[in-house]
């Protein structure tokens, strides 16, 4: 069954990376990087908290995903695990790269609604993680997967704007996430919630377009 887990993961991240790379390569000039306040705020805040955790390790203890602490009344632990990287430098490296490349792209598509997608999907992923596991942990990847879900949904609902083969990217991504749910991987529901939240934003945009 372990091989199925890796295959399902292969259905999620490679398609997202493919889309991200090609969009930046061929249409990156469409993105105004000076007008991405939500991306700048999230990336900066995460970078500051993550940097401080290496100077003051007690920050990890205070903010990490800890089921017992949550049940004792420390409600902030539903969100704060998204802003630390308790697994060390490799987690900082990978999550740092992903947050830098995916958030600006999502904000280009969704504007300030990105904050709803990021925190909403991150919150959903943390709640599921608390339910599925008692493991003490944390990391930004849960919310990042929510952003990836929003990119898949954008492709799906705007498929006529992309080459025909692109439709297989969201199909693969959402299918992989569904399979990962059976492995109790908190990234999977976060991705699905990110897709659902972004679809609400896209449908509202379509409604405004038709109303005009």
């Amino acid at each position: 069954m372990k091989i199925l887990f890796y295959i399902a993961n292969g259905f999620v991240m490679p398609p997202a990376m493919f889309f991200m790379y090609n969009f930046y390569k061929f249409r990156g000039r469409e993105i105004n990087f000076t007008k991405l306040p939500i991306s700048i705020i999230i990336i900066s805040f995460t970078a500051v908290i993550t940097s401080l955790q290496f100077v003051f390790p007690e920050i990890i203890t205070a903010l990490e995903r800890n089921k017992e602490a949550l049940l004792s009344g420390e409600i902030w632990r539903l969100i704060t695990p998204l802003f630390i990287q308790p697994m060390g430098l490799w987690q900082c490296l990978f999550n740092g790269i992903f947050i830098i490349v995916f958030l600006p792209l999502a904000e280009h598509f969704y504007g300030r609604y990105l904050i709803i997608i990021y925190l909403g999907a991150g919150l959903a992923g943390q709640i599921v993680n608390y339910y599925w596991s008692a493991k003490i942990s944390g990391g930004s990847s849960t919310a990042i997967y929510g952003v990836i879900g929003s990119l898949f949904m954008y492709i799906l609902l705007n498929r006529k704007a992309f080459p025909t083969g692109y439709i297989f990217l969201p199909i693969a991504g959402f299918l992989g996430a569904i399979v990962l749910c059976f492995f109790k991987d908190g990234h999977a529901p976060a991705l699905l919630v990110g897709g659902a939240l972004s679809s609400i934003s896209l449908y509202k945009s379509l409604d405004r377009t038709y109303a005009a």
Side-chain angles (χ1 to χ4, degrees), residues 59 89 104 159 180 204:
I59 288 177
L89 291 177
R159 52 193 175 276
L180 286 173
K204 285 182 177 179

Side-chain angles (χ1 to χ4, degrees), residues 26 31 38 62 70 91-93 109 136 145 148 150 153 155 158 164 176 201 212:
F26 297 109
I31 303 176
I38 302 303
L70 176 68
Q91 190 182 29
C92 293
L93 175 63
F109 295 143
I136 297 176
Y145 267 68
I148 290 173
S150 76
M153 185 58 70
I155 301 169
N158 294 275
T164 304
S201 173

Side-chain angles (χ1 to χ4, degrees), residues 44-206:
S44 299
F45 187 75
T46 304
V48 169
I49 299 300
T50 298
S51 299
L52 287 175
Q53 77 177 42
F54 291 100
V55 182
F56 306 103
E58 56 269 23
I59 288 177
I60 295 178
T61 305
L63 304 182
E64 65 191 351
R65 187 169 66 247
N66 185 318
K67 192 171 185 177
E68 290 186 5
L70 176 68
L71 294 176
S72 71
E74 298 181 2
I75 303 299
W76 63 84
R77 292 181 186 271
L78 288 171
I79 288 293
T80 56
L82 300 176
F83 301 102
I84 58 170
Q85 320 303 323
M87 296 181 187
L89 291 177
W90 72 268
Q91 190 182 29
C92 293
L93 175 63
F94 283 103
N95 286 348
I97 292 173
F98 293 147
I99 201 172
I100 288 171
V101 298
F102 285 126
L103 261 66
L105 189 55
E107 188 168 1
H108 173 66
F109 295 143
Y110 297 102
R112 295 186 179 183
Y113 193 78
L114 171 63
I115 191 69
I116 303 297
I117 296 171
Y118 190 87
L119 294 180
L123 175 61
Q126 293 305 312
I127 291 173
V128 172
N129 276 327
Y130 275 118
Y131 178 74
W132 278 342
S133 174
K135 181 181 179 181
I136 297 176
S137 188
S140 302
S141 58
T142 310
I144 294 170
Y145 267 68
V147 173
I148 290 173
S150 76
L151 299 180
F152 286 147
M153 185 58 70
Y154 187 87
I155 301 169
L156 187 63
L157 297 182
N158 294 275
R159 52 193 175 276
K160 293 182 179 179
F162 297 100
T164 304
Y166 272 55
I167 189 61
F168 293 106
L169 301 180
I171 291 174
F174 288 130
L175 178 61
I178 291 171
V179 173
L180 286 173
C181 286
F182 292 96
F183 289 91
K184 297 184 177 181
D185 187 326
H187 297 99
L191 187 149
L192 297 174
V193 170
L197 290 173
S198 61
S199 69
I200 296 172
S201 173
L202 290 174
Y203 279 125
K204 285 182 177 179
S205 298
L206 289 173

